[in-house]
């Protein structure tokens, strides 16, 4: 089903250290989540000594890469964008084989990765540093930027192409060297992107990539004294452990973590449009987005009509073979994710939630050898339920009727997370108030909670983020250090 002809798995030689592909004494296999009997690759199980060798290579390459003119670094990223664009179909099929994303969605992700590479290829040519007036006429005040140093990049499986591009592009553009640990499930896509970057001209040692088990490699990744900065996207529990692991050292940390993203639908909204947007935000990518819509608070007098339209939109989505062009929603990424989502659906059944569409129990994996799941809309869920408190990371959304905007806003903000939030209203004053009072790093007016663009900052509040931002000009702040310079001309 995967049809991965021409897609590299490198026969287990999937560790890139100092410009050389190498293998390990141990390997692991990955299987297509749409057909669990079909193997999609054999990859090296990296060990602690491989990570140490990667840090040694990155530290040795750091001075030379930092000295490369920014325009030349940008030209390498631009070349990588061209190479990836020429291989969109191959990269998309590799991505789908890794984690089951519907092929049209996978192509869109790869094209976003191309856009990110191009953005940072150009961003290196933008003004850097600042100048200030001084108290003395013979002293010039300015700031200059330098690379942060050796950066550890740890990326998740849900966006195997785009999130690595979010992190690797600015890290390399601004002169850092990298030790990259992709998620096991995304190993195939990681190998492909690494090959493209190396073909584009990234020098040996500047980018090092280690496949393998994240928990086993974590002490080596976080414990190396040459580590200058750590950027991670993934679960809150892992992110907190990583931050604690480097807390006693002067390591810059960038964490993008989970979300429990709300959408508010008011009675003055276009209910049809809101249902379409929320269906997309909750269900596409099989709900496996940290920005996915998870909770909906709808004003009571339009709740019935909204729920009817939402169910219609959800049931219109085609669930099935992710390689088919007509498919909207592919399988969950792995058996483990099936079990996680299944646990939440069992909880919904046990707690007596009302099922508007979907399945009260998870049964889709019985006998068909895939991780397909039915998109589910629930109502009648307590605000204290784990269904309302925890990130499900699957195509499940809970709808709750509320009396008015104030009730909706209070409920929307009642979460430890703060990544993305949306409101649907035709009243500009209400929209402006929501912008001010929503406790989320991303605020959407009359659009779904998911979806970002590379030239604007991305990040959450509260437990969703370390408060540092990715993408746009914010990326420069994390991947560089600033020096303040007092330049005085001595009297002749």
């Amino acid at each position: 089903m995967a049809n991965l002809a021409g897609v590299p798995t490198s026969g287990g030689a999937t560790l890139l250290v100092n410009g050389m592909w190498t293998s390990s004494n141990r390997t692991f296999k990955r299987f297509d989540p749409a057909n669990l009997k079909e193997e999609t690759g054999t990859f090296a199980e990296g060990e602690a000594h491989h990570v140490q060798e990667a840090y040694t290579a990155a530290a040795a390459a750091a001075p030379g890469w930092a000295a490369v003119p920014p325009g030349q670094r940008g030209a390498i990223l631009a070349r990588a964008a061209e190479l990836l664009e020429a291989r969109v179909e191959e990269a998309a099929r590799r991505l789908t084989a890794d984690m089951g994303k519907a092929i049209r969605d996978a192509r869109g992700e790869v094209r976003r990765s191309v856009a990110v590479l191009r953005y940072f290829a150009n961003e290196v040519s933008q003004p850097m540093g600042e100048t200030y007036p001084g108290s003395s006429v013979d002293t010039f005040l300015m700031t200059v930027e330098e690379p942060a140093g050796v950066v550890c990049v740890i990326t998740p499986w849900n966006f195997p192409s785009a999130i690595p591009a979010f992190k690797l592009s600015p890290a390399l553009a601004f002169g850092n060297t990298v030790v990259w640990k992709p998620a096991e499930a995304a190993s195939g896509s990681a190998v492909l992107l690494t090959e493209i970057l190396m073909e584009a001209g990234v020098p040996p040692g500047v980018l090092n990539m280690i496949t393998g088990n994240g928990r086993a490699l974590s002490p080596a990744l976080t414990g190396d004294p040459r580590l200058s900065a750590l950027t991670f996207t993934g679960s809150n529990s892992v992110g907190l452990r990583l931050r604690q692991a480097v807390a006693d050292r002067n390591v810059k940390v960038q964490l993008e973590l989970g979300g429990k993203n709300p959408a508010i639908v008011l009675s003055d909204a276009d209910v049809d449009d809101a249902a379409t947007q929320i269906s997309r935000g909750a269900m596409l990518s099989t709900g496996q987005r940290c920005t996915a819509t998870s909770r909906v608070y709808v004003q009571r007098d339009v709740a019935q009509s909204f729920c009817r339209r939402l169910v219609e939109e959800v049931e219109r989505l085609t669930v099935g073979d992710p390689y088919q062009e007509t498919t909207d929603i592919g399988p969950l990424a792995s058996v483990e994710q099936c079990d996680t989502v299944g646990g939440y659906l069992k909880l919904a059944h046990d707690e007596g939630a009302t099922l508007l569409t979907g399945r009260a129990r998870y049964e889709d994996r019985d006998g068909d050898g895939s991780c397909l799941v039915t998109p589910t809309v629930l109502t009648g869920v307590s605000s204290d339920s784990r269904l309302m408190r925890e990130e499900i990371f699957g195509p499940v959304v809970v709808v709750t009727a509320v009396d008015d905007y104030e009730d909706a806003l209070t409920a929307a903000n009642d979460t430890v997370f703060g990544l993305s939030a949306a409101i649907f209203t035709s009243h500009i004053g209400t929209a402006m108030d929501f912008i001010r009072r929503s406790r989320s790093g991303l605020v959407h007016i009359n659009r779904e909670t998911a979806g970002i663009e590379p030239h604007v900052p991305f990040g959450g509040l509260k437990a969703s983020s370390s408060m540092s931002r990715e993408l746009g000009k914010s990326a420069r702040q994390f991947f560089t250090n600033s020096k303040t310079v007092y330049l005085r001309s001595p009297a002749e």
Side-chain angles (χ1 to χ4, degrees), residues 260-322:
K260 192 67 179 172
N261 309 297
I264 294 172
V265 182
L266 299 181
S267 58
D268 63 354
D270 181 333
V271 171
D272 289 345
D273 179 63
T276 299
Q277 289 290 313
I278 289 171
S279 173
R280 291 176 53 83
M283 303 306 177
L284 294 187
S285 297
T286 324
Q288 297 172 133
R289 297 185 283 187
C290 57
T291 54
T293 306
S294 184
R295 301 174 291 140
V296 181
Y297 300 99
V298 56
Q299 204 160 348
R300 201 173 302 279
D301 54 353
V302 294
Q304 186 174 0
S305 60
F306 169 78
C307 286
R308 183 179 64 253
R309 285 289 297 115
L310 178 61
V311 168
E312 290 173 355
E313 289 294 325
V314 170
E315 292 181 346
R316 186 176 291 128
L317 297 170
T318 299
V319 182
D321 181 355

Side-chain angles (χ1 to χ4, degrees), residues 387-403:
L387 294 162
M388 297 290 273
R389 295 290 169 183
E390 299 175 4
E391 187 176 40
I392 297 173
F393 229 60
V396 181
V397 66
V398 179
V399 181
T400 302
V402 295
D403 290 331

Side-chain angles (χ1 to χ4, degrees), residues 5-140:
V7 179
T9 55
S10 298
T14 55
L15 308 174
L16 182 78
V17 178
N18 202 23
M20 300 292 294
W21 290 102
T22 187
S23 58
S24 175
N25 292 328
R26 295 181 294 176
T27 60
F28 62 94
K29 297 181 183 297
R30 295 301 306 177
F31 296 87
D32 190 337
N35 178 3
L36 294 169
K37 297 178 182 179
E38 182 165 353
E39 182 181 331
T40 56
T42 299
F43 304 93
E45 185 76 64
E47 300 178 51
H49 72 88
H50 294 121
V51 176
Q52 293 166 1
E53 292 163 6
Y55 273 112
T56 296
W65 182 242
V68 172
Q72 292 183 24
R73 297 196 297 261
I76 291 173
L77 291 181
R79 175 60 177 155
E82 293 176 1
L83 293 171
L84 182 57
E85 189 171 45
R87 297 170 69 177
V88 164
E89 190 64 25
E90 177 186 353
R93 298 190 74 83
R94 177 70 258 178
L95 191 160
T96 297
D98 281 344
M99 52 77 63
K101 188 168 292 188
I103 190 65
R104 287 181 289 125
D105 196 358
R107 289 192 197 103
E109 179 180 338
V110 175
R111 291 187 180 108
R112 285 192 295 276
S113 304
V114 171
V116 170
L117 285 163
R118 286 200 171 118
Y119 173 81
F120 284 107
N122 293 310
E123 180 62 25
V124 294
S125 299
Q126 297 302 307
M128 58 180 290
E130 298 173 318
T131 60
Y132 300 84
S135 59
S136 172
V137 296
D138 63 355
T139 300
F140 182 70

